[in-house]
Amino acid sequence: MIGFRRAGLDTLLGLCVLGYAVISFYLVEYLQQSYSRDITSERTQYLSQQLALVRSRIEAILTSEIFLASGLTSYLTVMPNSTAHEWRPIAEQIVSSAPHIRNVAIAPDNVVQFIYPLEGNQQALGMDYLEHPQQLRTVNVARQTQKIFVAGPLTLVQGGMGVIARMPIFANSPMNTEYWGTCSVVLDWDKLLADAGIHDFPQGIQVAMRGVDGTGELGAVFYGQANTFQRPILIENVHLMSGSWQLALKADADAFSPPSWLRNHLIRICGYLLAIALFLTMVLMFKAYRNAQRYSFEDVLTKLANRRRVQEVLQHLLRRKCRFAILNIDLNHFKQVNDNFGHIVGDALLREVAQRLQGSSRSYDTVARVGGDEFLLVLPRVSRLHDLNTICQKIRQQVADIPFAYQGIKLHISLSIGFAIYPDDGEDIEELLHGADRAMYDDKHRS
């Protein structure tokens, strides 16, 4: 029965360990995934701020420098008969104050007659927009709307990429019925993007723009890859004076990986170490509890059951109303062994007797040391005098008939045995123990 109880406890303990391992695993992995999501969210927020910053810088550069150049159109509106000699100082001031303006071109009747600076832009001088339909289209849009129109980005006649702000000029403002021509301000596209910070995104991040001529999400892609707009993680709209561009950001598969393996698995490492430490602590505490419990029922010298354990076994048998017997065994002349040979020999003798008593008992019998040289045996399912006499004879043969030898000392062992039967000799523990003790002393007096 004790074996079944122990097997049941071992099974329960195994299930508890398995449950702890499963719970720890899922808890640590949940925290790791939550931590990874937080890292991803943090990096997404960082990228969102960066993209918003790029968008705001593009808008600020375009707005400030185009409006700076609009001062020249205001002058031409008031002074339509002025000459290139008078335009030059104003254009020079505009270009020197706006680092992204590549040149300023004035085209009376849509023919470019003035460019500043001329160096590097000679090919555009004298260009008739009527002969360049693509550019004429944007000039006409500005003329029809009577507002600044931002064209491009596009490839310039003089080479390179640029954004062109078309500013219509009318000689009879504010009626604006007499079209004078147009003023075009060309901004350096590559420099504008660089200063806006579009190249500052970390590796693995794709950025693209679309919406040529301010057509927004409906326009063609003019920067980056078109597939960036397929499931982008972030989108920003760059608002122009006429229409908008659309910025999109997309991350590669490994773009959101933390910078180090340690940071990526930080929660997992700490979690499992903590789980293992907690498990080992619980194991040590459980082992300490089991040891304390075992020692509380165990005789320190002989490792047999002690008096407390005997009391527990007897109470269990009484509750079940089982018939049983108890044997009280005492070593004769043990005090003389201690006095003549010392306590070391006496302790060795007690351990030897304990081993012989265990060897002569059944697996479900309880063998205990309840005093200095006093032992007690609890024998379940034994209640006949004949059986008890046979057991006592067997014990005397296996314990007392063989001399005890220790470091050259040879001693003969003599036992006194008394027994009591439940319920014949008593119905409570004290009565049974007293009966067995009395019978043992009767046997001692006879020996």
Side-chain angles (χ1 to χ4, degrees), residues 317-382:
L317 292 172
L318 288 175
R319 283 195 299 269
R320 299 188 63 189
K321 303 296 182 181
C322 298
R323 293 183 65 84
F324 63 91
I326 58 175
L327 269 64
N328 196 346
I329 302 173
D330 187 76
L331 298 182
N332 298 327
H333 314 299
F334 179 73
K335 185 175 182 301
Q336 296 176 10
V337 175
N338 281 336
D339 292 343
N340 295 331
F341 302 103
H343 288 279
I344 294 178
V345 176
D347 289 346
L349 175 60
L350 290 174
R351 287 193 291 268
E352 179 66 22
V353 171
Q355 290 180 5
R356 294 181 184 185
L357 286 173
Q358 281 187 314
S360 63
S361 62
R362 300 169 299 181
S363 61
Y364 49 84
D365 293 338
T366 301
V367 183
R369 179 181 176 229
V370 294
D373 61 341
E374 187 177 354
F375 296 87
L376 193 72
L377 272 69
V378 181
L379 309 175
R381 295 179 293 185
V382 176

Side-chain angles (χ1 to χ4, degrees), residues 271-299:
Y272 285 130
L273 288 177
L274 181 61
I276 292 172
L278 183 60
F279 176 75
L280 292 177
T281 301
M282 291 190 295
V283 168
L284 292 175
M285 291 178 64
F286 179 75
K287 187 175 181 180
Y289 167 76
R290 289 288 295 269
N291 288 337
Q293 187 182 44
R294 179 167 61 87
Y295 293 147
S296 68
F297 291 106
E298 183 182 273
D299 177 61

Side-chain angles (χ1 to χ4, degrees), residues 2 25 59 108 113 126 135 146 175 202 221 282 285 293 295 311 317 337 341 355 377 419 439:
I2 295 175
F25 172 78
E59 290 178 347
Q113 296 183 9
Q135 297 208 35
Q146 300 183 8
M175 286 75 71
V221 176
M282 291 190 295
M285 291 178 64
Q293 187 182 44
Y295 293 147
Q311 291 282 345
L317 292 172
V337 175
F341 302 103
Q355 290 180 5
L377 272 69
F419 57 79

